[in-house]
Amino acid sequence: MAARLGNFIIFLILTVITLGIYPLYFFVTRQQENTELLKEIRDELQKQNQ
């Protein structure tokens, strides 16, 4: 019984860690995508102005 409870507690801790990391990963990847899109827009606008 104690082993099962220990495994369950480890499972809960890993779940909390994983769910805490995912939003950070999502935010960082979205920011990278936005940055790339803005660079492309900037480059296109510079081409049109020349």
Side-chain angles (χ1 to χ4, degrees), residues 2-28:
R4 288 176 61 187
L5 184 60
N7 286 340
F8 181 69
I9 291 172
I10 291 171
F11 170 76
L12 287 178
I13 291 170
L14 292 175
T15 301
V16 168
I17 291 171
T18 302
L19 292 176
I21 290 172
Y22 179 73
L24 177 64
Y25 169 77
F26 181 74
F27 177 75
V28 168

Side-chain angles (χ1 to χ4, degrees), residues 29-45:
T29 54
R30 288 289 301 260
Q31 288 300 107
Q32 288 174 342
E33 289 174 4
N34 283 338
T35 302
E36 289 300 318
L37 286 173
L38 288 171
K39 285 179 183 177
E40 287 180 26
I41 292 170
R42 181 197 63 199
D43 293 342
E44 286 296 320
L45 287 172

